[in-house]
PDB file of all heavy atoms in Angstrom:
ATOM      1  N   THR A 162      -0.084  -2.740  12.539  1.00 84.00           N
ATOM      2  CA  THR A 162      -0.830  -2.985  13.776  1.00 84.00           C
ATOM      3  C   THR A 162       0.138  -3.464  14.858  1.00 84.00           C
ATOM      4  O   THR A 162       0.040  -4.587  15.359  1.00 84.00           O
ATOM      5  CB  THR A 162      -1.919  -4.034  13.570  1.00 84.00           C
ATOM      6  OG1 THR A 162      -1.310  -5.248  13.044  1.00 84.00           O
ATOM      7  CG2 THR A 162      -2.963  -3.562  12.573  1.00 84.00           C
ATOM      8  N   SER A 166      -1.200  -8.690  19.322  1.00 67.00           N
ATOM      9  CA  SER A 166      -1.559  -9.519  18.182  1.00 67.00           C
ATOM     10  C   SER A 166      -2.113  -8.635  17.059  1.00 67.00           C
ATOM     11  O   SER A 166      -2.901  -7.705  17.281  1.00 67.00           O
ATOM     12  CB  SER A 166      -2.597 -10.570  18.580  1.00 67.00           C
ATOM     13  OG  SER A 166      -3.031 -11.287  17.425  1.00 67.00           O
ATOM     14  N   SER A 167      -1.687  -8.946  15.807  1.00 73.00           N
ATOM     15  CA  SER A 167      -2.212  -8.174  14.687  1.00 73.00           C
ATOM     16  C   SER A 167      -3.720  -8.277  14.552  1.00 73.00           C
ATOM     17  O   SER A 167      -4.416  -7.307  14.218  1.00 73.00           O
ATOM     18  CB  SER A 167      -1.530  -8.619  13.389  1.00 73.00           C
ATOM     19  OG  SER A 167      -0.137  -8.369  13.429  1.00 73.00           O
ATOM     20  N   PHE A 168      -4.228  -9.489  14.795  1.00 81.00           N
ATOM     21  CA  PHE A 168      -5.651  -9.734  14.653  1.00 81.00           C
ATOM     22  C   PHE A 168      -6.325  -9.715  16.023  1.00 81.00           C
ATOM     23  O   PHE A 168      -5.942 -10.457  16.912  1.00 81.00           O
ATOM     24  CB  PHE A 168      -5.913 -11.113  13.994  1.00 81.00           C
ATOM     25  CG  PHE A 168      -5.405 -11.171  12.586  1.00 81.00           C
ATOM     26  CD1 PHE A 168      -4.092 -11.566  12.303  1.00 81.00           C
ATOM     27  CD2 PHE A 168      -6.216 -10.810  11.529  1.00 81.00           C
ATOM     28  CE1 PHE A 168      -3.637 -11.635  11.020  1.00 81.00           C
ATOM     29  CE2 PHE A 168      -5.748 -10.891  10.229  1.00 81.00           C
ATOM     30  CZ  PHE A 168      -4.454 -11.284   9.961  1.00 81.00           C
ATOM     31  N   GLN A 169      -7.318  -8.828  16.155  1.00 82.00           N
ATOM     32  CA  GLN A 169      -8.043  -8.720  17.438  1.00 82.00           C
ATOM     33  C   GLN A 169      -9.521  -8.438  17.165  1.00 82.00           C
ATOM     34  O   GLN A 169      -9.890  -7.769  16.181  1.00 82.00           O
ATOM     35  CB  GLN A 169      -7.464  -7.590  18.289  1.00 82.00           C
ATOM     36  CG  GLN A 169      -6.044  -7.858  18.799  1.00 82.00           C
ATOM     37  CD  GLN A 169      -5.597  -6.792  19.788  1.00 82.00           C
ATOM     38  OE1 GLN A 169      -6.336  -6.460  20.704  1.00 82.00           O
ATOM     39  NE2 GLN A 169      -4.383  -6.302  19.602  1.00 82.00           N
ATOM     40  N   TRP A 170     -10.357  -8.939  18.055  1.00 79.00           N
ATOM     41  CA  TRP A 170     -11.781  -8.624  18.033  1.00 79.00           C
ATOM     42  C   TRP A 170     -11.932  -7.132  18.326  1.00 79.00           C
ATOM     43  O   TRP A 170     -11.343  -6.621  19.303  1.00 79.00           O
ATOM     44  CB  TRP A 170     -12.491  -9.465  19.092  1.00 79.00           C
ATOM     45  CG  TRP A 170     -13.976  -9.323  19.101  1.00 79.00           C
ATOM     46  CD1 TRP A 170     -14.809  -9.184  18.046  1.00 79.00           C
ATOM     47  CD2 TRP A 170     -14.819  -9.367  20.242  1.00 79.00           C
ATOM     48  NE1 TRP A 170     -16.096  -9.125  18.442  1.00 79.00           N
ATOM     49  CE2 TRP A 170     -16.145  -9.217  19.796  1.00 79.00           C
ATOM     50  CE3 TRP A 170     -14.580  -9.484  21.629  1.00 79.00           C
ATOM     51  CZ2 TRP A 170     -17.214  -9.216  20.678  1.00 79.00           C
ATOM     52  CZ3 TRP A 170     -15.651  -9.480  22.476  1.00 79.00           C
ATOM     53  CH2 TRP A 170     -16.968  -9.354  22.006  1.00 79.00           C
ATOM     54  N   TYR A 174     -10.501  -3.959  21.819  1.00 86.00           N
ATOM     55  CA  TYR A 174      -9.548  -2.861  21.796  1.00 86.00           C
ATOM     56  C   TYR A 174      -9.910  -1.829  22.848  1.00 86.00           C
ATOM     57  O   TYR A 174     -11.092  -1.550  23.096  1.00 86.00           O
ATOM     58  CB  TYR A 174      -9.585  -2.125  20.438  1.00 86.00           C
ATOM     59  CG  TYR A 174      -8.789  -2.808  19.344  1.00 86.00           C
ATOM     60  CD1 TYR A 174      -9.431  -3.505  18.305  1.00 86.00           C
ATOM     61  CD2 TYR A 174      -7.392  -2.732  19.317  1.00 86.00           C
ATOM     62  CE1 TYR A 174      -8.715  -4.094  17.288  1.00 86.00           C
ATOM     63  CE2 TYR A 174      -6.663  -3.321  18.296  1.00 86.00           C
ATOM     64  CZ  TYR A 174      -7.317  -3.996  17.279  1.00 86.00           C
ATOM     65  OH  TYR A 174      -6.615  -4.589  16.278  1.00 86.00           O
ATOM     66  N   ALA A 221     -11.073  -6.640   6.305  1.00 85.00           N
ATOM     67  CA  ALA A 221     -10.713  -7.947   6.871  1.00 85.00           C
ATOM     68  C   ALA A 221     -11.262  -8.087   8.262  1.00 85.00           C
ATOM     69  O   ALA A 221     -11.137  -7.164   9.073  1.00 85.00           O
ATOM     70  CB  ALA A 221      -9.200  -8.124   6.890  1.00 85.00           C
ATOM     71  N   PRO A 222     -11.866  -9.216   8.575  1.00 85.00           N
ATOM     72  CA  PRO A 222     -12.354  -9.448   9.930  1.00 85.00           C
ATOM     73  C   PRO A 222     -11.186  -9.422  10.925  1.00 85.00           C
ATOM     74  O   PRO A 222     -10.082  -9.909  10.621  1.00 85.00           O
ATOM     75  CB  PRO A 222     -12.995 -10.836   9.885  1.00 85.00           C
ATOM     76  CG  PRO A 222     -12.441 -11.491   8.661  1.00 85.00           C
ATOM     77  CD  PRO A 222     -12.126 -10.393   7.715  1.00 85.00           C
ATOM     78  N   PHE A 223     -11.410  -8.813  12.113  1.00 85.00           N
ATOM     79  CA  PHE A 223     -10.435  -8.720  13.188  1.00 85.00           C
ATOM     80  C   PHE A 223      -9.279  -7.802  12.806  1.00 85.00           C
ATOM     81  O   PHE A 223      -8.218  -7.811  13.416  1.00 85.00           O
ATOM     82  CB  PHE A 223      -9.916 -10.084  13.605  1.00 85.00           C
ATOM     83  CG  PHE A 223     -11.032 -11.000  14.079  1.00 85.00           C
ATOM     84  CD1 PHE A 223     -11.539 -11.980  13.216  1.00 85.00           C
ATOM     85  CD2 PHE A 223     -11.611 -10.846  15.319  1.00 85.00           C
ATOM     86  CE1 PHE A 223     -12.595 -12.780  13.645  1.00 85.00           C
ATOM     87  CE2 PHE A 223     -12.644 -11.645  15.736  1.00 85.00           C
ATOM     88  CZ  PHE A 223     -13.139 -12.618  14.895  1.00 85.00           C
ATOM     89  N   LEU A 224      -9.498  -6.980  11.755  1.00 88.00           N
ATOM     90  CA  LEU A 224      -8.593  -5.881  11.387  1.00 88.00           C
ATOM     91  C   LEU A 224      -9.402  -4.639  11.068  1.00 88.00           C
ATOM     92  O   LEU A 224      -9.114  -3.910  10.118  1.00 88.00           O
ATOM     93  CB  LEU A 224      -7.738  -6.278  10.164  1.00 88.00           C
ATOM     94  CG  LEU A 224      -6.598  -7.245  10.410  1.00 88.00           C
ATOM     95  CD1 LEU A 224      -5.998  -7.686   9.039  1.00 88.00           C
ATOM     96  CD2 LEU A 224      -5.513  -6.677  11.300  1.00 88.00           C
ATOM     97  N   LEU A 325      -7.876 -16.304   7.521  1.00 73.00           N
ATOM     98  CA  LEU A 325      -7.571 -15.905   8.879  1.00 73.00           C
ATOM     99  C   LEU A 325      -7.282 -17.114   9.777  1.00 73.00           C
ATOM    100  O   LEU A 325      -6.338 -17.116  10.548  1.00 73.00           O
ATOM    101  CB  LEU A 325      -8.735 -15.102   9.475  1.00 73.00           C
ATOM    102  CG  LEU A 325      -8.676 -14.648  10.918  1.00 73.00           C
ATOM    103  CD1 LEU A 325      -7.640 -13.551  11.069  1.00 73.00           C
ATOM    104  CD2 LEU A 325     -10.028 -14.169  11.416  1.00 73.00           C
ATOM    105  N   ARG A 328      -3.698 -18.672   9.525  1.00 65.00           N
ATOM    106  CA  ARG A 328      -2.518 -17.935   9.951  1.00 65.00           C
ATOM    107  C   ARG A 328      -2.119 -18.345  11.363  1.00 65.00           C
ATOM    108  O   ARG A 328      -2.948 -18.440  12.258  1.00 65.00           O
ATOM    109  CB  ARG A 328      -2.778 -16.419   9.887  1.00 65.00           C
ATOM    110  CG  ARG A 328      -2.855 -15.865   8.498  1.00 65.00           C
ATOM    111  CD  ARG A 328      -3.021 -14.378   8.535  1.00 65.00           C
ATOM    112  NE  ARG A 328      -1.872 -13.759   9.176  1.00 65.00           N
ATOM    113  CZ  ARG A 328      -0.934 -13.069   8.518  1.00 65.00           C
ATOM    114  NH1 ARG A 328      -1.029 -12.911   7.225  1.00 65.00           N
ATOM    115  NH2 ARG A 328       0.070 -12.536   9.171  1.00 65.00           N
ATOM    116  N   ASP A 330      -0.623 -16.744  13.704  1.00 55.00           N
ATOM    117  CA  ASP A 330      -0.773 -15.771  14.778  1.00 55.00           C
ATOM    118  C   ASP A 330      -2.234 -15.405  15.031  1.00 55.00           C
ATOM    119  O   ASP A 330      -2.543 -14.499  15.782  1.00 55.00           O
ATOM    120  CB  ASP A 330       0.005 -14.491  14.487  1.00 55.00           C
ATOM    121  CG  ASP A 330      -0.455 -13.835  13.179  1.00 55.00           C
ATOM    122  OD1 ASP A 330      -1.214 -14.457  12.426  1.00 55.00           O
ATOM    123  OD2 ASP A 330      -0.051 -12.683  12.924  1.00 55.00           O
ATOM    124  N   SER A 331      -3.162 -16.128  14.372  1.00 56.00           N
ATOM    125  CA  SER A 331      -4.549 -15.718  14.528  1.00 56.00           C
ATOM    126  C   SER A 331      -5.544 -16.883  14.501  1.00 56.00           C
ATOM    127  O   SER A 331      -6.749 -16.656  14.445  1.00 56.00           O
ATOM    128  CB  SER A 331      -4.908 -14.756  13.350  1.00 56.00           C
ATOM    129  OG  SER A 331      -4.734 -15.415  12.119  1.00 56.00           O
ATOM    130  N   VAL A 334      -8.169 -16.634  17.261  1.00 67.00           N
ATOM    131  CA  VAL A 334      -8.785 -15.338  17.559  1.00 67.00           C
ATOM    132  C   VAL A 334     -10.292 -15.411  17.563  1.00 67.00           C
ATOM    133  O   VAL A 334     -10.984 -14.758  18.341  1.00 67.00           O
ATOM    134  CB  VAL A 334      -8.291 -14.265  16.537  1.00 67.00           C
ATOM    135  CG1 VAL A 334      -8.818 -14.518  15.149  1.00 67.00           C
ATOM    136  CG2 VAL A 334      -8.677 -12.872  17.015  1.00 67.00           C
TER     137      VAL A 334
END
Side-chain angles (χ1 to χ4, degrees):
T162 56
S166 174
S167 296
F168 295 90
Q169 293 187 46
W170 185 38
Y174 280 106
F223 303 100
L224 285 172
L325 177 72
R328 290 184 61 107
D330 60 349
S331 60
V334 68

